[in-house]
Amino acid sequence: EVQLVESGGGLVQAGGSLKLSCKVRGFTYDDYTIGWFRQAPGKEREGVSSISRSDGSTLYEDSVKGRFTTSSDKRKNTVYLQMNSLKPEDTAVYYCAFLHTIHAHTTLDEYEYDYWGQGTQVTVSS
């Protein structure tokens, strides 16, 4: 069974940076997609970014374009979310999610994903 282990959350001042990690366990092939999602208190969960391990293609939600970058390290079977120029409105619990897909595919639709990490808190102070 696929397990996702997240790390890297924390408290940072506005304008600062954080890097989240999502370690994939239990699946050693490249035919999958990792999505990053976040949920702020009182709000619905929203998609932030997505990366296909098949071809490296990426997709970003408009509010994070130019600030967030997702990447993967095949050797470590880990996907990262580098977050720069953080804003207080980025404060949320961040989750990574796994989608097994034969063809390269990126999506911010949470209902397409099969497995989820435990979440990590990101707090941006003003």
Side-chain angles (χ1 to χ4, degrees), residues 32 35 44 49 72 76 105:
Y32 66 86
E44 294 186 351
S49 71
S72 69
K76 295 182 179 180
H105 177 62

Side-chain angles (χ1 to χ4, degrees), residues 1 6 19 24 33 36 39 50 76 83 92 97 104 122 124-125:
E1 182 176 329
E6 298 180 48
K19 187 174 185 178
V24 179
T33 294
W36 287 97
Q39 187 166 22
S50 176
K76 295 182 179 180
M83 304 184 294
V122 171
V124 184
S125 63

